Amino acid sequence: MPAHFDFATAGRIVFGAGVLQQLKDILPALGHNILLVTGSGGANPERLHTLLRELGVNWLPVQVIGEPDLRFLYAALEQARAAQPDVVVAFGGGSALDTGKALAALFPNPGDPLDYLEVVGNNQPLRTPALPVVAIPTTAGTGSEVTRNAVLAVPQQKVKVSLRSPWMLPRVAIIDPELTYSLPPEITASTGMDALTQVLEPFVSIRANAITDVFCRDGLLRAGRSLRAAFEDGHNPAAREDMALASLFGGLALANAGLGAVHGFASPLCGMYPAPHGAVCAALLAETTRINIRALEQREPASPALDRYSEAARILTGRPVAARKDLVTFLAELTAALRIPPLGDWGVHAADVPAVVEKAALASSIKANSIRLTPEELAEILETCI
């Protein structure tokens, strides 16, 4: 664990059942000409529309269909510049929140969005602060409401990459678990497994620190006891609250400690195939954990990450004597119970493995993995998950 670290997050976090109503008190101080970014599924935005009408503000609606890509971003950015908003409200899953953050960042900054993108772009820093963003998640998965990046698909390169800046941290995050009650079981499962991944990967990351550890430990506990319950009964208030907190804690952790190989794979896989981010992470989590543990035991047996994996096993299983192998078993059984489809269901074939491995090795997320995996190990993970 590093002796020195810094920690950054959203300017304000408002959490609890029914807190969406507080938008009426929060928004007037930020602006009155609103760019409203919503997703295509999940919670009905009518409650939000009612609040905006009661405030008497103007808003330009932008709806994200599926996961955002550069082509959509160019068109939405043109709309935003014509409307001249002074605040962005992003309401929906990770796609809506990431799009809202990206538009808020690019609106005041000149040039092409590619100037600022990682991996496939020029990775230039933003020159001007982003518009203020109010992020309102309606799924419990990405934690995007408290992160400093937006993930965007680049169809020409068949990859997903990040736009990243400290200025992209939302001004306010409003997390209301009631907004997740209407999620169907399959979305609850995939986004919930993403949330679980995002408290496990930062916990064993080479950049883990004392603050993120607090969020990861509590997030693991909540996801371990409530993900299956939320999947089985979407209107279980305690389970939905636990998962909303696990997602929030995952966002806080990953933004400050990084992720790992699961998200390293998700970048190219979600760019090459019509696979939702959460579903990809869910399909990969158990096997990636197994290979990480095996590689550490073989090459870095003194690594503190091995103790972290053992601790995660005890937290998730609730068994004081659980070992690392029990963690892998728990994750595999949870994946089966949630009916997570294998990667092959999204069109991934064995012949694609070398290309995916090559692209995953360039992803920013994989740099914080608990150990540097070989190309052969990365290929083994993919082949098993197909």
Side-chain angles (χ1 to χ4, degrees):
M1 186 169 63
H4 301 281
F5 58 86
D6 61 55
F7 185 87
T9 190
R12 180 182 177 191
I13 298 171
V14 183
F15 183 94
V19 297
L20 178 63
Q21 193 69 23
Q22 293 190 32
L23 183 67
K24 290 175 65 175
D25 301 317
I26 292 167
L27 196 54
L30 299 176
H32 294 82
N33 196 23
I34 295 156
L35 183 66
L36 177 61
V37 182
T38 61
S40 56
N44 189 325
E46 187 52 41
R47 281 177 60 194
L48 177 61
H49 293 164
T50 298
L51 291 174
L52 295 178
R53 284 191 288 266
E54 290 174 357
L55 284 169
V57 297
N58 300 313
W59 75 83
L60 171 69
V62 173
Q63 187 178 48
V64 184
I65 307 296
E67 300 195 359
D69 62 24
L70 271 185
R71 290 172 294 196
F72 177 85
L73 192 67
Y74 283 125
L77 189 58
E78 186 176 343
Q79 286 182 277
R81 286 181 170 149
Q84 290 293 302
D86 44 31
V87 60
V88 175
V89 174
F91 178 94
S95 295
L97 269 56
D98 279 2
T99 302
K101 293 192 301 182
L103 291 171
L106 294 170
F107 171 79
N109 282 279
D112 191 290
L114 277 170
D115 293 338
Y116 307 103
L117 284 181
E118 295 177 347
V119 183
V120 300
N122 296 324
N123 200 23
Q124 294 178 6
L126 297 178
R127 306 173 195 176
T128 305
L131 293 179
V133 173
V134 179
I136 308 170
T138 64
T139 64
T142 68
S144 182
E145 67 272 16
V146 289
T147 64
R148 65 186 92 188
N149 71 301
V151 180
L152 303 166
V154 184
Q156 301 92 325
Q157 305 284 347
K158 293 186 177 181
V159 70
K160 294 181 75 172
V161 298
S162 280
L163 174 68
R164 192 183 308 271
S165 170
W167 281 333
M168 292 176 64
L169 286 164
R171 189 72 59 86
V172 184
I174 299 176
I175 303 103
D176 186 339
E178 290 181 352
L179 297 175
T180 67
Y181 287 7
S182 61
L183 285 176
E186 63 272 17
I187 304 299
T188 298
S190 61
T191 57
M193 286 291 283
D194 189 23
L196 174 55
T197 305
Q198 291 175 174
V199 286
L200 179 58
E201 286 197 311
F203 190 53
V204 298
S205 160
I206 60 172
R207 298 204 295 266
N209 65 65
I211 294 181
T212 59
D213 284 352
V214 173
F215 295 119
C216 290
R217 287 187 174 103
D218 195 69
L220 286 166
L221 176 65
R222 292 177 186 276
R225 74 188 182 196
S226 290
L227 175 49
R228 195 179 299 203
F231 172 75
E232 293 171 351
D233 178 8
H235 286 79
N236 180 328
R240 287 299 195 186
E241 180 174 295
D242 265 354
M243 290 311 301
L245 281 169
S247 177
L248 170 63
F249 293 164
L252 292 166
L254 74 88
N256 293 279
L259 287 161
V262 171
H263 280 80
F265 278 127
S267 175
L269 285 170
C270 294
M272 296 168 70
Y273 308 96
H277 172 84
V280 167
C281 292
L284 288 164
L285 181 56
E287 181 63 12
T288 305
T289 301
R290 184 182 74 83
I291 296 296
N292 274 338
I293 291 171
R294 189 186 71 187
L296 286 162
E297 290 173 340
Q298 291 175 348
R299 300 197 296 276
E300 296 183 19
S303 170
L306 284 172
D307 291 335
R308 297 298 184 97
Y309 278 118
S310 297
E311 184 178 354
R314 295 191 294 271
I315 294 171
L316 285 171
T317 65
R319 291 163 43 205
V321 296
R324 293 187 286 270
K325 61 181 177 60
D326 299 313
L327 172 61
V328 177
T329 300
F330 175 90
L331 294 174
E333 290 178 348
L334 181 61
T335 301
L338 299 180
R339 299 195 289 273
I340 300 297
L343 295 178
D345 283 18
W346 300 106
V348 184
H349 299 286
D352 306 325
V353 167
V356 177
V357 167
E358 183 179 359
K359 290 184 177 184
L362 300 175
S364 57
S365 293
I366 207 167
K367 294 179 173 64
N369 197 56
S370 54
I371 185 172
R372 184 181 180 89
L373 297 175
T374 66
E376 293 75 19
E377 288 167 334
L378 294 172
E380 183 181 352
I381 292 170
L382 283 176
E383 289 163 356
T384 304
C385 294
I386 290 174

